[in-house]
Amino acid sequence: MNGTFSFFFHSPFKIVSQHLALRFVAFLLISRGNSEAVTMEYENKLVLAPMVRVGTLPFRLLAADYGADITYAEEIIDHKMIKCERVVNEYIGSTDFVEKGTDNVVFRTCNQEKNRLVFQMGTSDAVRALKAAQIVCKDVAAVDINMGCPKSFSVSGGMGAALLTKPDLIHDILTTLRRNMDTPVTCKIRLLKSSQDTVELARRIEKTGVSALAVHGRKVADRPRDPAKWNEIADIVSALSIPVIANGDVFEYDDFERIKVATGASAVMVARGALWNASIFSPKGKIHWEDVKREYVRKSILWDNDVKSTKHTLKEMITHYSCLELPEGKALIKSENLADLAKVYGEEEYFRLVSDNRFSLNGH
């Protein structure tokens, strides 16, 4: 859907009508049980990186509206996923993976993003990874294993960057997934201590049959302020035959081409640059971040996004350009639900129309 840019100039009713009509079509496709095989192309693609508490359905759709070809969901831990059951949410037209015996939505998607959505998983066990992947694999374009997160919660569980020092376990997880699923399997890594070590690991990963490899051009000990090492990503690209997705220091649209030329990568992934302004994916140039922010709020309302996730994402946007001590930030912090957020951003009418139209939409 490329009508995002015009949404800002429409009435709330027309915006709701466009959103709900598209959502209704997506729901019909879910109901029909679309079972076509999904393939993923990586050449010259712009990719939204996985971001915890950010990469939920509204933000993924927002990035896609502006031009993202592939969108990664936030990392979901395998332990959480295996406790879930798949539920078609007739209320909002989504497919939800809900923790059994609760109302807790662990993962939400919709049919309109199916062919570009990558489900990223945190795992340290091949059997558990397969069990979790099989629950969600029919609703996504690919399943990715996180091997680059340096956060303590991930590493302490033997997941994320902890896997980088366990090549046998990496092989076990990836080959188990490849042998038992038709859905493409990929993984995302960081750089090791030497370029040679990273290349050797990448070659071993390639032999498992993965469809692509994403590489964050920083080492585990590096901080975001440290420059990404594009030259070491280039070493990996030259050593492999599978597509490599380059990630690191992409903050403007022109950076997509710069890193692609510097590394030879098939595709380029962006995290912080997209978080701060999702219109980074647009070849027309960025629009004002305030407009992007408001469209994110609308999508969060439309898809009934978790309010904590929505607030976290908005805080990240605000603190990059401003601060939370101003009235907007204070009101955001006090907000307890999506209705409160609608008031903060002047979207009360939109919130009301979405709520009113859901009943009639579901009645059809």
Side-chain angles (χ1 to χ4, degrees):
M1 180 174 64
N2 294 319
T4 303
F5 300 103
S6 63
F7 282 177
F8 308 119
F9 305 102
H10 290 326
S11 68
F13 181 77
K14 189 168 184 179
I15 296 171
V16 172
S17 299
Q18 289 173 317
H19 279 176
L20 291 179
L22 185 57
R23 199 193 70 194
F24 181 50
V25 171
F27 177 65
L28 287 178
L29 291 172
I30 293 171
S31 302
R32 289 171 184 166
N34 186 358
S35 59
E36 295 180 5
V38 175
T39 58
M40 181 74 87
E41 297 293 333
Y42 293 94
E43 194 63 34
N44 295 318
K45 301 301 182 184
L46 308 184
V47 185
L48 175 69
M51 290 182 279
V52 174
R53 294 196 289 172
V54 173
T56 54
L57 179 58
F59 196 84
R60 298 195 303 267
L61 294 178
L62 183 70
D65 281 353
Y66 290 120
D69 301 299
I70 299 171
T71 54
Y72 279 59
E74 62 173 340
E75 177 194 23
I76 305 292
I77 305 302
D78 55 5
H79 286 287
K80 284 188 177 181
M81 203 64 195
I82 61 177
K83 297 177 182 178
C84 293
E85 58 184 345
R86 182 182 186 274
V87 177
V88 175
N89 187 333
E90 298 182 5
Y91 183 63
I92 64 171
S94 64
T95 301
D96 296 347
F97 294 85
V98 183
E99 187 176 352
K100 295 175 184 177
T102 74
D103 295 325
N104 179 33
V105 178
V106 173
F107 178 62
R108 171 168 288 165
T109 183
C110 66
N111 199 75
Q112 73 192 72
E113 69 167 357
K114 179 178 179 180
N115 292 334
R116 63 172 175 266
L117 172 61
V118 179
F119 176 81
Q120 191 186 65
M121 186 194 319
T123 187
S124 60
D125 180 84
V127 174
R128 195 167 59 243
L130 177 61
K131 186 176 180 180
Q134 287 175 328
I135 294 172
V136 74
C137 65
K138 300 299 183 183
D139 293 287
V140 301
V143 173
D144 183 84
I145 302 302
N146 182 352
M147 300 182 184
C149 180
K151 302 293 185 181
S152 58
F153 79 88
S154 186
V155 175
S156 63
M159 302 175 291
L163 290 173
L164 295 175
T165 59
K166 302 175 181 177
D168 290 339
L169 180 54
I170 288 176
H171 181 271
D172 190 22
I173 292 171
L174 296 177
T175 53
T176 298
L177 293 176
R178 285 288 296 114
R179 290 170 182 169
N180 293 280
M181 294 196 312
D182 293 329
T183 306
V185 176
T186 63
C187 64
K188 184 171 185 285
I189 67 171
R190 280 183 175 245
L191 302 177
L192 301 182
K193 291 183 178 180
S194 73
S195 181
Q196 181 180 351
D197 289 342
T198 313
V199 167
E200 289 178 2
L201 176 63
R203 283 174 171 159
R204 184 160 184 176
I205 289 172
E206 181 180 37
K207 290 179 181 178
T208 66
V210 294
S211 299
L213 173 66
V215 182
H216 185 171
R218 291 183 175 87
K219 300 175 183 179
V220 174
D222 288 343
R223 304 274 46 91
R225 63 178 177 273
D226 297 321
K229 301 172 179 64
W230 290 2
N231 60 313
E232 294 195 27
I233 298 177
D235 292 340
I236 297 168
V237 173
S238 63
L240 303 186
S241 58
I242 61 172
V244 172
I245 305 168
N247 173 218
D249 289 351
V250 176
F251 301 111
E252 303 292 339
Y253 186 82
D254 290 346
D255 292 336
F256 286 117
E257 185 63 20
R258 288 180 56 243
I259 189 173
K260 193 173 186 300
V261 170
T263 64
S266 297
V268 178
M269 175 181 283
V270 56
R272 289 177 295 159
L275 169 59
W276 297 333
N277 190 325
S279 65
I280 188 176
F281 292 104
S282 173
K284 299 177 182 179
K286 289 181 183 177
I287 66 172
H288 197 282
W289 72 280
E290 291 282 3
D291 292 332
V292 176
K293 185 173 57 178
R294 288 192 64 178
E295 180 60 15
Y296 171 69
V297 170
R298 293 187 189 114
K299 278 181 164 52
S300 294
I301 292 170
L302 184 68
W303 293 99
D304 196 25
N305 197 43
D306 175 71
V307 68
K308 291 182 180 179
S309 167
T310 305
K311 288 176 63 175
H312 171 78
T313 303
L314 289 169
K315 287 177 183 177
E316 291 293 318
M317 293 179 182
I318 292 169
T319 54
H320 178 66
Y321 295 98
S322 179
C323 71
L324 295 173
E325 298 304 315
L326 298 177
E328 177 193 359
K330 291 180 179 180
L332 171 62
I333 292 170
K334 291 180 180 179
S335 297
E336 297 181 354
N337 49 49
L338 292 175
D340 290 342
L341 290 178
K343 292 179 182 178
V344 174
Y345 291 98
E347 297 293 343
E348 299 101 319
E349 182 69 5
Y350 182 85
F351 182 88
R352 184 185 65 79
L353 288 170
V354 168
S355 300
D356 291 349
N357 277 275
R358 274 179 179 151
F359 178 78
S360 59
L361 179 64
N362 293 330
H364 283 78

